[in-house]
């Protein structure tokens, strides 16, 4: 099938669009889908069949589909220990079965999350108090330390000095028993 | 049932009260999606697990700590009449999915209906706070307070890397959906909305018509909400939304002023014709009613119509939905009968306004 937008490349994305209760098929190549993709995705849920979209996203993902694999693909066998959901099942439902699924399918999940959340794949918001208020700071510290190494290797010493100050102030907060995360 | 009595029962505070910028922003809503760590998500959970989720919530309801958020009541979907469910959906207190596709669903509602907690919908818990006008910060704070309280009694499914784990990966992370309902007749009349919607989409926000489908928004009412839930903090998500909403507010205000300058008499004519239709029609479809209500509300905001409640658009958009009309009529109505009822309800409601004078 040829992409309905550019009429050149083969269509890799297949959406079902529902307008006024009428189903319309949308077939786009990867280039055009990425171009229109944001609009399609962001208008999602009410108008678009999200499950098809998700399945579409995963199918074109190179980490998911390796042509050299045997007919019994590894992903077919992968299932959640807790709820026994398989990856094809997840693709079909567009929903996970339990919280353990996030760990089970972590390798497949990262590219999906990046696409769904504008390139983001790690949480940066609220943290339950029982888990500890300093989680944010520890995360931030890790990132800063990485940045520091990079700056040093690039010989950007001025930036490196600034980062070092930030690291110090966070370390101080952590050791002084900073609470609450805010 | 008299209309006044019906209104007293049907109209929630967020429908009738005025909030900040309420000439353009009708309501603000914050929703947080949460799940119990120990139970499977509603996608796969057993009947028994579903019951356990409900009974845990019932136990929490006994706790006096929850009472500080207002008198709460737990309603189970299985105990509700179809009409009752429909009315709650039309008031945006529960989702269509909870009403139709969640056999083990329930909802915790406060008396003033500002807070609703959906149970066993797509996620075990969905906390929702609904405020009049533009009050994102206030609504977020209210939702966070309930969330903090629940979290001290419930082991939530949470991951250091992915945040709050949700049934659908589109909600993972903060689990937040912040949305603002706006009345934008000026941008529609000046034909700017088609240009604005893609620009808003580019910023990672979604624009939806509230009662209509697709791009056709019934009553010129649009909902703007965040799409991304992962990688940004709740405060940043709300701040980004406020930024866009504030811009829309000022664009809508300048569109209204431009209309006043260029087509004052035409606009006034349009407003009063619509008021005439609403005051006099005997049969009215929801689409026409929505259009006329939007015109009248614009007329009130711009001062063409005086001494009339601003809440009339908000109220009547909700009360003239099929579920409410049937509740008011006290039974099932066919579509044609609804149109007659709708016209009657609007006439009566407007008469109450005229009698105030
Ligand atoms: Zn193409
Ligand atoms: Zn699982």
């Amino acid at each position: 099938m040829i992409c309905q937008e550019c009429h050149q490349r083969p269509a890799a994305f297949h959406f079902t669009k529902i307008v006024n209760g009428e189903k319309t098929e949308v077939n786009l190549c990867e280039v055009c889908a990425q171009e229109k993709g944001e609009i399609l995705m962001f208008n999602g849920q009410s108008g678009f069949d999200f499950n098809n979209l998700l399945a579409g996203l995963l199918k074109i993902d190179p980490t998911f589909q390796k042509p050299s694999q045997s007919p019994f693909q590894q992903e077919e066998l992968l299932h959640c220990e807790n709820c026994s959901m398989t990856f094809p099942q997840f693709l079909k439902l567009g929903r996970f079965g339990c919280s353990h699924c996030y760990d089970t399918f972590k390798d497949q999940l990262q590219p999906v999350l990046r696409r769904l959340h504008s390139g983001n794949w790690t949480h940066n918001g609220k943290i339950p108090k029982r888990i500890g208020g300093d989680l944010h700071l520890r995360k931030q510290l890790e990132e800063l330390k990485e940045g520091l190494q990079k700056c040093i290797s690039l010989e950007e010493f001025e930036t490196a000095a600034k980062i070092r100050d930030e690291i110090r102030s966070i370390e101080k907060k952590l050791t002084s028993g900073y609470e609450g995360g805010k | 049932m008299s209309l006044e009595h019906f209104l007293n029962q049907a109209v929630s505070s967020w429908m009738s009260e005025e909030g900040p910028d309420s000439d353009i922003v009708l309501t603000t809503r914050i929703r947080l999606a949460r799940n119990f760590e120990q139970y499977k998500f509603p996608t796969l959970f057993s009947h028994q697990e579903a019951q356990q989720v409900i009974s845990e919530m019932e136990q929490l309801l006994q706790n006096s700590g929850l009472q500080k958020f207002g008198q709460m009541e737990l309603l189970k979907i299985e105990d509700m009449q179809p009409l009752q469910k429909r009315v709650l959906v039309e008031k945006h207190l529960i989702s269509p999915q909870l009403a139709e596709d969640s056999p083990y669903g329930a909802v915790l509602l406060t008396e003033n209906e500002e807070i609703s907690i959906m149970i066993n919908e797509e996620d075990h818990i969905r906390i929702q706070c609904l405020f009049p006008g533009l009050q994102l910060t206030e609504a977020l704070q209210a939702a966070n307070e309930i969330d903090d309280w629940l979290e001290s009694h419930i082991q939530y499914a949470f991951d250091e890397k992915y945040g709050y784990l949700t049934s659908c990966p589109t909600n993972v992370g903060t689990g937040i959906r912040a949305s603002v309902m706006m009345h934008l007749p000026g941008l529609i009349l000046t034909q700017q909305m088609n240009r604005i919607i893609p620009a808003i989409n580019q910023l990672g926000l979604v624009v939806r018509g509230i009662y209509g489908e697709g791009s056709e928004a019934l009553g010129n009412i649009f909902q703007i909400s965040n799409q991304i839930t992962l990688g940004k903090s709740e405060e940043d998500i709300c701040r980004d939304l406020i930024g866009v909403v504030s811009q829309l507010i000022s664009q809508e205000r300048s569109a209204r002023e431009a209309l006043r300058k260029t087509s004052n008499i035409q606009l006034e004519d349009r407003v009063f014709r619509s008021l005439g239709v609403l005051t006099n029609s005997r049969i009215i479809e929801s689409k026409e009613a929505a259009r006329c209500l939007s015109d009248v509300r614009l007329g009130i905001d711009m001062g063409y119509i005086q001494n009339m409640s601003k809440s009339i658009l908000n109220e009547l958009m909700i009360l003239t939905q099929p579920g409410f009309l049937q509740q008011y009529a006290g039974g099932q109505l066919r579509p044609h009968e609804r149109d007659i009822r709708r016209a009657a309800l609007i006439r009566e409601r407007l008469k109450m306004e005229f009698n105030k004078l």
Side-chain angles (χ1 to χ4, degrees), chain A residues 42 96-97 102 123 126 130, chain B residues 41 147 156 161 166-167 206:
Chain A
F42 289 144
F96 287 121
Y102 277 90
H123 181 53
K126 192 172 176 179
R130 65 177 163 84
Chain B
F41 294 152
D147 184 46
Y156 278 152
K161 190 160 141 204
T166 51
S167 164
V206 197

Side-chain angles (χ1 to χ4, degrees), chain B residues 293-348:
Chain B
L293 284 168
S294 170
D295 286 343
V296 167
R297 172 65 200 257
L298 180 67
I300 298 170
D301 287 331
M302 293 185 65
Y304 295 117
I305 301 176
Q306 271 158 15
N307 303 314
M308 195 178 280
S309 316
K310 285 182 172 202
S311 65
I312 211 152
L313 168 75
N314 219 356
E315 247 180 69
L316 285 177
M317 279 299 286
I318 292 168
L319 299 184
T320 55
Q321 300 286 306
F324 267 110
L325 287 175
Q326 295 181 71
Q327 196 191 44
Y328 182 42
Q332 292 283 323
L333 294 173
R334 281 174 299 197
H336 180 67
E337 295 172 320
R338 280 182 217 157
D339 293 345
I340 298 173
R341 277 279 167 174
R342 181 177 295 114
L345 190 147
I346 292 172
R347 284 201 318 272
E348 271 187 77

Side-chain angles (χ1 to χ4, degrees), chain A residues 80-85 96-102 104-105, chain B residues 40 44:
Chain A
C80 175
E81 297 279 331
N82 186 51
C83 72
S84 66
M85 178 170 273
F96 287 121
C98 75
S99 53
H100 299 248
C101 290
Y102 277 90
T104 311
F105 304 117
Chain B
K40 290 196 278 292
L44 284 185

Side-chain angles (χ1 to χ4, degrees), chain B residues 220-238:
Chain B
N220 300 322
I221 299 176
F222 294 87
Q223 179 186 278
I224 327 282
S225 57
N226 67 302
Q227 178 72 12
I228 293 157
T229 56
L230 185 64
K232 289 209 271 183
S233 72
E234 291 80 357
E235 288 76 15
D236 283 346
I237 287 169
C238 287

Side-chain angles (χ1 to χ4, degrees), chain B residues 49-252:
Chain B
E49 282 180 305
Q51 297 299 342
Q52 277 172 305
V53 170
I54 293 192
S55 70
E56 290 217 27
M57 294 305 283
E58 271 173 332
Q59 272 172 21
L60 289 179
L61 194 59
Q62 305 302 317
N63 191 310
S64 60
L66 202 56
Q67 301 299 328
K68 71 175 173 219
F69 303 108
Q71 189 67 41
M72 283 198 195
E73 190 187 2
L74 187 123
L75 304 165
K76 286 183 193 169
I77 292 297
E78 54 176 359
D79 299 336
M80 277 192 249
Q81 298 299 314
L83 206 54
Q84 207 186 347
K85 289 192 270 184
R86 187 155 190 177
V87 162
L88 290 180
V89 171
E90 288 171 4
K91 277 178 152 179
H92 306 286
L93 294 174
I94 65 174
S95 64
Q97 196 185 334
L98 188 80
E100 303 307 326
D101 303 318
S102 312
Y104 311 122
V107 63
L108 270 174
L109 268 183
T110 55
E111 227 166 6
N112 63 7
E113 298 181 339
E114 277 187 0
I115 299 167
S116 68
I117 303 175
M118 287 198 284
I119 302 164
N120 291 341
E121 197 230 35
E122 188 182 293
D123 294 297
H124 294 141
I125 296 173
R126 286 196 162 187
I127 304 163
Q128 179 180 286
C129 291
L130 200 50
F131 281 34
L134 181 59
Q135 302 193 64
L136 272 165
T137 317
E138 294 81 356
L140 176 62
Q141 196 188 338
N144 268 334
E145 279 172 20
I146 297 165
D147 184 46
D148 290 343
W149 190 86
L150 288 175
E151 188 241 311
S152 64
H153 295 81
I154 293 172
Q155 187 90 359
Y156 278 152
F158 181 86
D159 179 88
E160 290 202 358
K161 190 160 141 204
Y162 296 133
Y164 293 94
L165 302 178
T166 51
S167 164
C168 183
T170 48
N171 296 316
V172 74
T174 54
I176 198 173
R177 191 73 70 221
S179 53
V180 171
M181 223 204 264
M182 306 183 80
H183 182 223
L184 302 172
L187 293 177
I188 291 289
L189 286 171
T190 53
Q191 298 180 337
Q192 296 183 73
M193 213 48 202
N194 288 340
R195 174 180 61 78
I196 289 171
I197 291 176
I200 296 177
N201 287 334
Q202 290 290 315
L203 297 167
L205 300 174
V206 197
V207 186
R208 279 198 197 96
I210 285 298
Y211 297 98
E213 281 175 87
S215 60
E216 201 185 359
L218 226 46
N220 300 322
I221 299 176
F222 294 87
Q223 179 186 278
I224 327 282
S225 57
N226 67 302
Q227 178 72 12
I228 293 157
T229 56
L230 185 64
K232 289 209 271 183
S233 72
E234 291 80 357
E235 288 76 15
D236 283 346
I237 287 169
C238 287
R239 201 174 303 135
D240 290 352
L241 183 58
I242 290 172
V244 169
V245 167
S246 314
Q247 270 189 37
L248 277 173
I249 291 174
S250 66
Q251 283 175 357
E252 170 67 23

